[in-house]
């Protein structure tokens, strides 16, 4: 059972206590060698289901026949990953509609809340590869983790792809979505979707094949 530091910035005392109790319970289950609880299985399933939704938006993005359609799908994919308190959440393409609304994202919010489906799955007994691939390691400082992604997006260029340095494949999807929202080329938008699809597929495999 992997032990992952969880940010509690922005959570009230009761929320912190419930989160810590849940994590400790998951560690005890793993240490005893037992199967994850029904609630734990549900937490892993919720992450899997969310990644299915993200994958569907990425497929829509890749198959789009107009730039606006590609950007709408990219917005939805990114919003589902970052969640309501994540960077850039909202009407990313400026068309007056927020696509991909949710109560939580795949990853933690910018202040650590909500913790996100991936941390919930890890606490419930998801395998180490979820930590490595989806989360990309420790999220005890979400501000720094998101700043790392935003820096990679700002520094990206066709001759200098900065996204491989991001350890979270889920964050890389957000990176490719951000480039799609900034381009005026449908061809490039669809190319970026192809890159995003690789990272969604890797994330799904980490959840589903490594149990």
């Amino acid at each position: 059972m992997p032990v992952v530091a969880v940010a509690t910035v922005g959570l009230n005392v009761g929320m912190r206590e419930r989160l810590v109790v849940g994590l400790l319970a998951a560690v005890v289950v793993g240490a005893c060698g037992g199967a994850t609880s029904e609630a734990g299985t549900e937490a892993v399933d919720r992450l899997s289901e969310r990644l299915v939704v993200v994958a569907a938006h990425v497929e829509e993005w890749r198959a789009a026949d107009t730039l606006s359609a590609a950007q709408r799908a990219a917005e939805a994919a990114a919003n589902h990953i970052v969640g309501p308190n994540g960077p850039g959440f909202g009407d990313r393409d400026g068309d007056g509609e927020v696509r991909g609304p949710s109560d939580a994202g795949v990853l933690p919010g910018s202040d650590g809340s909500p913790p996100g489906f991936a941390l919930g799955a890890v606490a419930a007994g998801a395998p180490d590869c979820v930590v490595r691939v989806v989360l990309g390691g420790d999220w005890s400082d979400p501000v720094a983790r998101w700043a790392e992604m935003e820096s990679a997006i700002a520094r990206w260029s066709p001759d200098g792809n900065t996204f491989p340095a991001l350890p979270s494949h889920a964050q890389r999807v957000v990176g490719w979505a951000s480039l799609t929202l900034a381009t005026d080329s449908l061809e490039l938008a669809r190319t970026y979707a192809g890159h995003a699809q690789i990272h969604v597929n890797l994330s799904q495999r980490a959840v589903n094949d490594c149990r």
Side-chain angles (χ1 to χ4, degrees):
M1 170 68 196
V3 178
V4 179
V6 179
T8 57
V9 177
L11 301 181
N12 62 39
V13 173
M15 292 173 69
R16 288 194 190 102
E17 289 178 348
R18 288 194 295 274
L19 183 57
V20 171
V21 168
L23 284 167
L24 290 175
V27 170
V28 170
V29 169
C32 293
T36 56
S37 65
E38 181 178 348
T41 300
E42 289 176 357
V44 177
D45 287 344
R46 283 195 293 274
L47 172 59
S48 180
E49 289 164 4
R50 173 53 59 89
L51 289 172
V52 167
V53 172
V54 173
H57 286 304
V58 172
E59 290 173 7
E60 179 185 359
W61 165 12
R62 192 173 186 181
D65 54 11
T66 67
L67 179 60
S68 59
Q71 291 175 330
R72 287 194 296 270
E75 175 185 299
N79 282 341
H80 274 302
I81 290 172
V82 305
N85 290 328
F89 179 86
D91 181 14
R92 294 170 182 266
D93 64 357
D95 70 350
E97 182 177 351
V98 177
R99 293 173 179 81
S102 63
D103 293 333
V106 170
L107 299 174
S110 295
D111 63 356
S113 63
F117 291 111
L119 276 180
V122 169
D128 289 344
C129 47
V130 172
V131 178
R132 294 194 308 269
V133 176
V134 183
L135 289 166
D138 175 49
W139 274 83
S140 59
D141 187 353
V143 172
R145 289 299 306 270
W146 287 122
E148 181 182 18
M149 184 198 74
E150 291 178 317
S151 174
I153 294 170
R155 292 182 293 106
W156 187 92
S157 72
D159 296 325
N161 181 9
T162 53
F163 297 160
L166 293 172
S168 165
H169 286 270
Q171 283 188 311
R172 296 190 206 184
V173 175
V174 180
W176 292 112
S178 298
L179 295 184
T180 294
L181 289 158
T183 189
D184 58 4
S185 165
L186 174 60
E187 181 180 1
L188 280 178
R190 294 174 68 172
T191 297
Y192 296 154
H195 289 288
Q197 191 167 51
I198 292 170
H199 302 298
V200 173
N201 291 346
L202 287 170
S203 298
Q204 289 182 295
R205 191 174 306 150
V207 175
N208 299 323
D209 294 351
C210 299
R211 294 194 191 196

